[in-house]
Amino acid sequence: MMSINWFPGHMHKARKEIAKVMDEIDVVIEVLDARLPVSSENPMISQLGKGTPVIKLLNKSDLADPVRTQEWVDYYNSLPDTRAIMIDYKQKKLISSIPNLCNELVPSRSNNGRQVRAMIMGIPNVGKSTMINALLGKKIAKVGNEPAVTKGQKRFLLKNGMALSDTPGMLWPKIEDRDSGYRLAASGAIKNTAIEFQQVAEYAAEFLCQDYPELMVARYKLKKIPENADELLKEIGRKRGGLRAGGKIDMHKASEILLNELRGGQIGLVTYETVSEWLEKWEQQRIEAERLAAEELAAEAAKEQGKE
Ligand SMILES: Nc1nc2c(ncn2[C@@H]2O[C@H](COP(=O)(O)OP(=O)(O)O)[C@@H](O)[C@H]2O)c(=O)[nH]1
Ligand SMILES: [Mg+2]
């Protein structure tokens, strides 16, 4: 079983900082990775931001499956106080429409000529800094692959009167779900994780065989749809110079090829999670939580009886 330790101390600090600024925020602009909208969430955002309207940016949609992204957009738009848009860093027009969307969501402020205060939030690497720079039309936030780029609380003013600030502290994804960990690793959203590289490739290969077999056939010029992850990786190894002395297939090299091409988008537009999958998971979680609560009640009742 994998375990990923996200420095709870850091998390605690972020929670305090966010709770402190949340009162001053009118709109949350939550940046998600369109390929894995739920797994790229940080639950603190919805917890601490309760009652604050949110714009969900399904970012990096240039890498995602457009059909699945549209399903996520529709789902999020059905939630109260929530707007969702499919976006990526090249869509300048769409990006420049975000301030107006913020104003629409908080008419009480914007109609009274007051600045709408928006905070851009999200886990590392989802594209917050890139988005801030595009919104401001200049390079203010440092873009980088390393997460520790945005430090402290910064507030930037926009020309049209919207005040925009970056996430204070670090918001790591919450990895309780096994799939979420692998998806974050496979997409490149998190790097150098505790998960074995080859295991991530196997997970990705399994998923691709299941959900996108035709992309595999096209990319690796396969004669037929691979039966499973192992067969796919072996085929990639064979075709792409992964043969070592004695004809042994270099599975590490095959894994590297698959993951690099998947992350780079060469394989095609891929989305790891679907609305229907998560609706089912959430329903199961709800049932499980209810069961636990009922058990607890029963245990307490039994204890009370014992006292009498
Ligand atoms: N393909 C793609 N890459 C993006 C997009 N937005 C950001 N990136 C890349 O994702 C990486 C992380 O971006 P950054 O803005 O630093 O993320 P932050 O940690 O949330 O501030 C950088 O390499 C960006 O170039 C997008 O819409 N599409
Ligand atoms: Mg940043």
Side-chain angles (χ1 to χ4, degrees):
M1 194 55 205
M2 98 191 126
S3 73
I4 299 177
N5 205 333
W6 286 135
F7 316 111
H10 218 140
M11 190 76 124
H12 184 65
K13 191 164 163 254
R15 174 185 287 277
K16 282 208 323 221
E17 283 180 52
I18 291 162
K20 204 168 68 195
V21 293
M22 215 41 133
D23 287 347
E24 303 163 14
I25 299 302
D26 305 307
V27 189
V28 168
I29 301 174
E30 182 181 16
V31 187
L32 299 168
D33 188 319
R35 296 168 295 172
L36 50 158
V38 178
S39 297
S40 62
E41 262 179 358
N42 178 296
M44 267 190 325
I45 297 174
S46 54
Q47 278 163 20
L48 296 174
K50 258 206 177 83
T52 309
V54 59
I55 300 175
K56 300 215 184 233
L57 299 182
L58 295 176
N59 196 36
K60 304 199 184 186
S61 64
D62 55 318
L63 300 170
D65 177 337
V67 175
R68 289 184 172 183
T69 309
Q70 188 57 51
E71 285 170 7
W72 281 110
V73 168
D74 294 342
Y75 166 73
Y76 286 129
N77 277 331
S78 75
L79 304 179
D81 291 323
T82 308
R83 287 286 188 87
I85 34 180
M86 190 189 296
I87 205 163
D88 68 71
Y89 61 172
K90 296 213 174 88
Q91 300 196 54
K92 303 282 182 241
K93 245 192 161 154
L94 202 52
I95 292 170
S96 62
S97 74
I98 292 173
N100 270 338
L101 203 58
C102 289
N103 288 335
E104 275 171 45
L105 276 171
V106 199
S108 58
R109 273 188 90 84
S110 54
N111 289 346
N112 290 317
R114 298 169 74 190
Q115 229 170 29
V116 170
R117 298 154 306 178
M119 183 153 68
I120 195 150
M121 302 181 84
I123 64 167
N125 272 320
V126 276
K128 297 178 299 297
S129 297
T130 309
M131 193 59 70
I132 287 172
N133 291 337
L135 272 164
L136 299 178
K138 49 187 162 187
K139 287 207 168 63
I140 284 186
K142 201 175 161 207
V143 172
N145 275 326
E146 284 312 306
V149 164
T150 310
K151 283 204 185 99
Q153 172 73 348
K154 291 172 188 140
R155 175 164 287 188
F156 311 113
L157 292 185
L158 280 185
K159 288 186 206 105
N160 67 1
M162 183 180 81
L164 183 71
S165 51
D166 200 350
T167 310
M170 284 303 212
L171 289 175
W172 296 104
K174 182 182 167 198
I175 308 178
E176 276 188 345
D177 187 85
R178 173 187 176 273
D179 288 312
S180 291
Y182 279 112
R183 287 165 181 174
L184 284 157
S187 67
I190 54 172
K191 296 189 184 77
N192 313 323
T193 65
I195 321 174
E196 194 70 39
F197 183 77
Q198 220 147 309
Q199 261 175 280
V200 176
E202 268 164 40
Y203 179 90
E206 190 71 51
F207 154 74
L208 289 164
C209 287
Q210 282 277 331
D211 284 29
Y212 296 101
E214 69 292 347
L215 293 183
M216 292 297 97
V217 169
R219 177 73 195 172
Y220 300 109
K221 302 190 174 61
L222 308 176
K223 290 207 181 67
K224 62 175 187 67
I225 290 169
E227 300 255 333
N228 53 43
D230 196 53
E231 194 185 301
L232 173 61
L233 286 168
K234 279 185 176 143
E235 201 58 29
I236 293 171
R238 244 178 248 125
K239 297 223 160 172
R240 299 283 295 272
L243 282 191
R244 292 202 299 210
K248 203 170 172 294
I249 295 170
D250 186 341
M251 292 298 268
H252 191 82
K253 177 140 190 217
S255 299
E256 213 167 61
I257 291 170
L258 182 72
L259 282 184
N260 284 341
E261 298 194 345
L262 178 62
R263 289 171 179 171
Q266 288 100 314
I267 279 175
L269 305 178
V270 160
T271 292
Y272 298 86
E273 47 202 14
T274 62
V275 175
S276 61
E277 172 207 359
W278 273 105
L279 287 179
E280 209 168 286
K281 263 190 192 173
W282 288 325
E283 178 61 10
Q284 275 167 15
Q285 284 170 7
R286 194 188 59 76
I287 292 168
E288 178 63 9
E290 263 181 17
R291 195 186 61 76
L292 285 175
E295 254 180 36
E296 232 166 77
L297 268 181
E300 240 164 68
K303 226 163 87 186
E304 285 300 312
Q305 281 225 316
K307 276 188 200 156
E308 279 165 19

